[in-house]
Amino acid sequence: MGYQHIEIPPQGEQISIDNKGVWHIPAQPIIAYIDGDGVGQDISPCMRDIVNHAVQLCYQGVRKIHWMEVFNGEKAAQLYDGDWFPQETIHAVRQFKIAIKGPLTTPIGGGFRSLNVALRHEMDLFVNMRPIKGYCALPSPLKKPENTNIVVIRDSSEDVYSGIEWQAGSVEAEKMLDFLCQEMGVTRLRFDQQCGIGIKNISKEGSERLVRYAIAYALEQNSDSVTVVHKGNVLKFTDGAFKRWGFAVAQTEFSAIPHSNGRWLEIPREGLAPLVIKEVIADNMLQQALMNPEQFDVVVTTNQNGDYLADMLTAQVGGIGIMPAANLNNEVAFFEPTHGTFERIAGQNSANPTSSILSAVMMLRFMNWHEAANSIELALQQTFIAGEVTFDLQAEQQNSTILSCSDFTQRIIERLKVS
């Protein structure tokens, strides 16, 4: 299709997916990007600069990303007569398969749709993935943050985040209360006056596809374990069902067999130890991930539990400024930093680009361009170890050097090498 303001690069090829679901990444793919609002205008160009240098270094021109800008947020509103989220952005992301963005302004009380919400709803991006890795050179409340290396795979399609709720005292809430008490025989409401009501929905189909994705990912990555996190000891027909449906997928689709402890499962692998399928109650998971994070590898969980867990793990290893993320389904991969726009420092060349950089590392690994991904992550880690950081990551050692966003980027580029 033709686009109003999006310009397709004259060179480069589209990414494709065959009828077996296999992604085909050409040597010179076209990848969509959104700079973002606030500090997005500072960090996104830095991210692309690092990626371009790493790709050129590792592949000597054989591989190259052809960047294509698409629009959302403030820049889109300027181009599209006040439309903060033009529909052609959705079409372009769908057509070109892989995209990466900076932070975007979040609407409060209305106005325009956020790109994440629209993508999740309209394109059914049901996987939110956050690889959370500790670096010993960064400030952390843990003695050994480097022991944390966990990939959280969180549902993005259901649970309480579906937003099915009614305000206390509203006609709708009163109708729902009457229905629950009179028609469904509910007797456990201690206070049934001025009571807000919300619905938590967990489906068999949604649970199965998420756990299926997590197990397939763990097998592809040669991971040690997949841990299903749930609150099934209390919520037996939602969280409990999530665990049961997930374990059933492991057994019926991946030939999992009972583990020796009688509670878990394991998937035999040729030449490797079995992939262990564990299960942990959510509150215990929060404790264990703090005290013994090394026992976890890939974690799969519901929307709300994943929100709590990912944020806690992020706090253990340096904060939201270094956390990458991806929103995925079987047809689209969308990568993003996890922080907001930080308007107060926008345009000051002081923002931390690490979350955006590591989101690009995720993207390169998704493309199987591991040499470039490893080069960037190693250079980033060496920059941390050297004590050269942005203001929000000031290390505890006294000889830390606080760098601007662009200088931090340049230090990483200088340390790039083929691993």
Side-chain angles (χ1 to χ4, degrees), residues 20-219:
K20 295 182 179 179
V22 177
W23 288 63
H24 296 277
I25 311 293
Q28 301 206 7
I30 296 172
I31 290 180
Y33 75 91
I34 298 170
D35 271 339
D37 300 326
V39 297
Q41 302 297 318
D42 300 319
I43 65 175
S44 294
C46 290
M47 173 273 294
R48 292 195 302 278
D49 197 17
I50 290 171
V51 170
N52 289 340
H53 276 86
V55 169
Q56 173 60 30
L57 176 67
C58 292
Y59 308 118
Q60 298 296 307
V62 175
R63 293 181 181 178
K64 179 181 179 181
I65 292 175
H66 296 267
W67 300 100
M68 179 183 72
E69 186 172 14
V70 299
F71 304 98
N72 185 254
E74 296 172 358
K75 195 169 185 178
Q78 295 171 3
L79 288 172
Y80 296 86
D81 299 322
D83 186 353
W84 290 79
F85 186 9
Q87 191 63 30
E88 73 173 20
T89 295
I90 282 283
H91 292 315
V93 172
R94 181 181 288 117
Q95 178 181 351
F96 290 93
K97 309 298 183 190
I98 292 180
I100 188 167
K101 77 169 185 69
L104 291 167
T105 300
T106 300
I108 298 176
F112 59 91
R113 300 175 298 168
S114 76
L115 180 59
N116 284 343
V117 170
L119 282 171
R120 290 170 185 170
H121 288 180
E122 296 186 27
M123 306 182 82
D124 196 23
L125 295 179
F126 62 91
V127 175
N128 178 258
M129 181 183 292
R130 294 194 184 187
I132 300 166
K133 182 176 181 179
Y135 297 94
C136 61
L138 294 180
S140 168
L142 301 186
K143 294 180 179 179
K144 295 182 178 180
E146 64 274 14
N147 286 352
T148 301
N149 190 0
I150 300 172
V151 177
V152 176
I153 295 180
R154 165 193 172 198
D155 167 68
S156 290
S157 63
E158 9 185 59
D159 202 358
V160 295
Y161 287 75
S162 297
I164 305 171
E165 60 175 350
W166 296 275
Q167 184 177 0
S170 67
V171 172
E172 294 82 4
E174 294 303 316
K175 286 182 178 179
M176 181 57 67
L177 286 165
D178 288 343
F179 174 76
L180 290 172
C181 296
Q182 298 173 17
E183 301 293 330
M184 300 299 291
V186 173
T187 60
R188 294 193 299 273
L189 290 174
R190 184 176 297 275
F191 305 106
D192 60 2
Q193 301 298 314
Q194 287 294 313
C195 179
I197 295 291
I199 292 178
K200 175 186 177 76
N201 61 307
I202 301 291
S203 71
K204 184 174 186 286
E205 181 179 357
S207 300
E208 288 178 341
R209 69 177 182 176
L210 185 74
V211 176
R212 182 183 300 118
Y213 193 102
I215 293 175
Y217 173 83
L219 289 169

Side-chain angles (χ1 to χ4, degrees), residues 113-369:
R113 300 175 298 168
S114 76
L115 180 59
N116 284 343
V117 170
L119 282 171
R120 290 170 185 170
H121 288 180
E122 296 186 27
M123 306 182 82
D124 196 23
L125 295 179
F126 62 91
V127 175
N128 178 258
M129 181 183 292
R130 294 194 184 187
I132 300 166
K133 182 176 181 179
Y135 297 94
C136 61
L138 294 180
S140 168
L142 301 186
K143 294 180 179 179
K144 295 182 178 180
E146 64 274 14
N147 286 352
T148 301
N149 190 0
I150 300 172
V151 177
V152 176
I153 295 180
R154 165 193 172 198
D155 167 68
S156 290
S157 63
E158 9 185 59
D159 202 358
V160 295
Y161 287 75
S162 297
I164 305 171
E165 60 175 350
W166 296 275
Q167 184 177 0
S170 67
V171 172
E172 294 82 4
E174 294 303 316
K175 286 182 178 179
M176 181 57 67
L177 286 165
D178 288 343
F179 174 76
L180 290 172
C181 296
Q182 298 173 17
E183 301 293 330
M184 300 299 291
V186 173
T187 60
R188 294 193 299 273
L189 290 174
R190 184 176 297 275
F191 305 106
D192 60 2
Q193 301 298 314
Q194 287 294 313
C195 179
I197 295 291
I199 292 178
K200 175 186 177 76
N201 61 307
I202 301 291
S203 71
K204 184 174 186 286
E205 181 179 357
S207 300
E208 288 178 341
R209 69 177 182 176
L210 185 74
V211 176
R212 182 183 300 118
Y213 193 102
I215 293 175
Y217 173 83
L219 289 169
E220 179 183 323
Q221 299 297 317
N222 294 328
S223 303
D224 294 328
S225 66
V226 174
T227 303
V228 180
V229 176
H230 62 95
K231 191 61 180 170
N233 58 327
V234 175
L235 302 169
K236 300 182 186 301
F237 303 128
T238 50
D239 275 42
F242 174 80
K243 180 263 178 181
R244 292 192 300 274
W245 288 326
F247 268 44
V249 164
Q251 292 172 304
T252 59
E253 299 184 24
F254 295 92
S255 302
I257 60 177
H259 189 275
S260 59
N261 68 7
R263 293 178 47 238
W264 300 344
L265 301 173
E266 60 183 27
I267 300 173
R269 293 183 288 189
E270 186 176 351
L272 289 173
L275 176 69
V276 179
I277 311 298
K278 307 177 182 179
E279 60 95 8
V280 178
I281 301 297
D283 47 326
N284 186 33
M285 178 68 191
L286 295 176
Q287 177 177 247
Q288 293 300 321
L290 178 64
M291 299 176 67
N292 302 292
E294 63 275 6
Q295 67 182 298
F296 301 107
D297 195 344
V298 175
V299 170
V300 60
T301 189
T302 55
N303 206 333
Q304 186 176 45
N305 288 331
D307 196 8
Y308 296 153
L309 179 60
D311 279 7
M312 187 200 76
L313 290 171
T314 295
Q316 292 180 191
V317 299
I320 200 168
I322 69 167
M323 282 302 105
N327 294 303
L328 311 159
N329 63 20
N330 296 318
E331 298 176 349
V332 171
F334 204 96
F335 301 86
E336 61 174 351
T338 55
H339 58 72
T341 55
F342 297 119
E343 298 287 348
R344 64 183 177 81
I345 61 170
Q348 297 180 20
N349 192 27
S350 61
N352 177 10
T354 302
S355 183
S356 186
I357 293 166
L358 288 175
S359 296
V361 168
M362 283 187 75
M363 180 186 75
L364 292 168
R365 292 209 169 106
F366 184 88
M367 297 163 59
N368 286 321
W369 290 18

